[in-house]
Amino acid sequence: MKALVTGISGFVGSHMAEYLLRQGVEVVGTIRNRSRMEHIRHLLKDIRLVECELRDPFSVETLIDDVRPDLIFHLAAQSFVPTSWNSPIDTIHNNVAGQVNIFEAIRRFGLDTKMQIACSSEEYGHVEANEVPIKETNPLRPLSPYAISKVAQDYLGYQYYKSYGLHVIRTRTFNHTGPRRGENFVTSNFAKQIADIEKGKKPPVLHVGNLEAKRDFTDVRDVVRAYWLALEKGEPGEDYNIASGTCCTIAEMLALLLSFSKEKIEVKTDPSRLRPSDVEILLGDYEKFHKRTGWRPEIPFEQTMRDLLDYWRAQ
Ligand code: GDD
């Protein structure tokens, strides 16, 4: 069994590769020439890397012809919401064109590859109070260019399944975190600030944006197990929420992190961290996925956040 992981050097990609190797799967991953290798350095002897620009159809066609994977975990993306405000078309081009190129190559070579597409709870966007926990049937009311790019990826998955019978599973994953999470994202950003304060690298002031938003966090190690099950047991063409089924405010998440530290830390709002529009609440219902695959999140949020803080302490 051979799996192709796009974006293997990223946060989720590196955990996905570790999980697949434990299943005895042969792992091939795509990187770009500017990819950082620190998350996968320990795996280099066990995986094969291919340099590929996913936005370039020729590059993707060559990749697919060469690898001919049984499974694809399509994780490569511009995944930071604020970047999509600064450069909307780049996010849309990167996320949408990359996926179309993969689908087109699979279709043209007539492969029966099973593909998992990393869609997002951001697609739900504005959610009414009576719509939580959110089911897959909820209307999509995206609130950022990033969310739009993920809606496009999601519906392209549906369309290529309907039009050509490609084996596509759309996973709508709610927020996820854990060791190696990029420092831009809120959990990692706050954990790194605390670790830097503990090391005396920064004064005891922690900068924050909107603390009122509510998010549903799952551990990345539970998420990659879900992606594996999605291809093993998911129904082609379907969409599945991957979530914990609980949520907390960003303020509560921060309070938990601060409770792990002995430092006295002042919390200060930094207006540059506020967004033109923020999704107020994301709380997912993962029942559909559970019924189909038996998946449930296993790692408690406290453990995830402790592991994340320890990760930054060790950097
Ligand atoms: N990044 C960041 N930095 N966010 C902050 C900060 C801060 O200093 N302070 C408050 N927040 C708030 C944001 O306004 C948002 O409401 C929430 O924390 C989470 O922000 P992010 O961690 O940047 O994640 P996200 O919810 O925008 O998007 C993540 O989850 C999606 C799934 O719902 C990303 O991982 C996406 O790629 C993913 O699709």
Side-chain angles (χ1 to χ4, degrees):
M1 176 89 76
K2 196 194 287 181
L4 176 67
V5 180
T6 69
I8 197 167
S9 61
F11 163 57
V12 184
S14 65
H15 286 279
M16 191 78 237
E18 285 176 355
Y19 186 87
L20 292 169
L21 290 171
R22 285 201 296 275
Q23 305 303 310
V25 173
E26 185 184 340
V27 178
V28 183
T30 67
I31 51 165
R32 289 190 290 191
N33 58 9
R34 56 181 183 277
S35 293
R36 292 165 61 186
M37 303 297 277
E38 72 243 27
H39 297 338
I40 50 168
R41 194 152 287 132
H42 62 296
L43 302 175
L44 288 180
K45 63 178 191 325
D46 299 317
I47 61 179
R48 185 180 148 216
L49 297 180
V50 181
E51 198 174 322
C52 179
E53 172 48 69
L54 294 176
R55 287 178 292 195
D56 171 20
F58 180 72
S59 184
V60 175
E61 203 173 289
T62 308
L63 166 80
I64 298 296
D65 193 20
D66 167 27
V67 179
R68 300 202 165 236
D70 302 298
L71 310 174
I72 293 181
F73 297 91
H74 180 40
L75 309 177
Q78 192 304 96
S79 64
F80 189 47
V81 173
T83 297
S84 81
W85 297 109
N86 299 333
S87 177
I89 200 62
D90 192 53
T91 297
I92 288 169
H93 186 207
N94 190 75
N95 295 359
V96 179
Q99 186 173 296
V100 169
N101 290 336
I102 294 170
F103 283 172
E104 279 296 302
I106 294 291
R107 179 174 83 80
R108 270 188 269 127
F109 289 118
L111 305 181
D112 57 3
T113 306
K114 293 181 174 181
M115 291 178 275
Q116 173 265 339
I117 301 302
C119 303
S120 167
S121 56
E122 271 288 304
E123 292 172 50
Y124 295 115
H126 175 73
V127 173
E128 299 290 342
N130 63 355
E131 292 175 335
V132 292
I134 307 165
K135 289 192 188 330
E136 290 81 353
T137 47
N138 213 69
L140 305 181
R141 305 184 192 100
L143 290 176
S144 67
Y146 167 78
I148 294 285
S149 77
K150 287 287 159 183
V151 171
Q153 282 189 247
D154 192 323
Y155 281 139
L156 278 162
Y158 176 76
Q159 182 248 312
Y160 271 75
Y161 164 72
K162 281 294 210 189
S163 305
Y164 305 114
L166 296 198
H167 188 123
V168 178
I169 310 283
R170 301 173 281 148
T171 49
R172 291 184 184 158
T173 309
F174 286 63
N175 292 56
H176 41 300
T177 189
R180 305 182 205 142
R181 185 35 136 173
E183 66 178 276
N184 282 337
F185 298 87
V186 70
T187 47
S188 234
N189 189 278
F190 291 178
K192 180 173 188 292
Q193 289 191 62
I194 292 172
D196 284 349
I197 291 166
E198 289 177 344
K199 291 174 197 168
K201 279 165 100 179
K202 143 183 178 66
V205 181
L206 194 145
H207 293 103
V208 301
N210 173 21
L211 295 183
E212 305 301 310
K214 292 183 177 140
R215 289 292 186 274
D216 176 331
F217 291 102
T218 304
D219 192 290
V220 64
R221 294 160 287 194
D222 279 328
V223 168
V224 296
R225 183 168 51 84
Y227 291 170
W228 168 258
L229 287 171
L231 291 194
E232 222 185 21
K233 299 186 174 168
E235 192 179 341
E238 284 301 307
D239 48 16
Y240 295 104
N241 284 344
I242 312 291
S244 76
T246 56
C247 76
C248 64
T249 62
I250 300 302
E252 287 165 341
M253 181 276 290
L254 173 59
L256 177 65
L257 271 178
L258 287 171
S259 75
F260 299 149
S261 180
K262 292 197 181 80
E263 300 290 325
K264 274 216 123 2
I265 298 175
E266 183 195 343
V267 174
K268 209 171 172 179
T269 301
D270 168 359
S272 74
R273 290 172 182 247
L274 301 171
R275 303 174 180 191
S277 56
D278 201 6
V279 174
E280 277 173 42
I281 178 165
L282 289 174
L283 167 57
D285 180 332
Y286 65 86
E287 198 50 32
K288 179 179 173 187
F289 190 61
H290 172 70
K291 277 203 182 115
R292 181 83 194 185
T293 68
W295 180 88
R296 274 185 201 289
E298 286 171 359
I299 303 172
F301 185 49
E302 252 201 61
Q303 185 64 51
T304 306
M305 297 307 287
R306 271 188 197 281
D307 291 350
L308 178 61
L309 183 56
D310 287 343
Y311 167 79
W312 283 113
R313 283 172 170 154
Q315 295 303 300

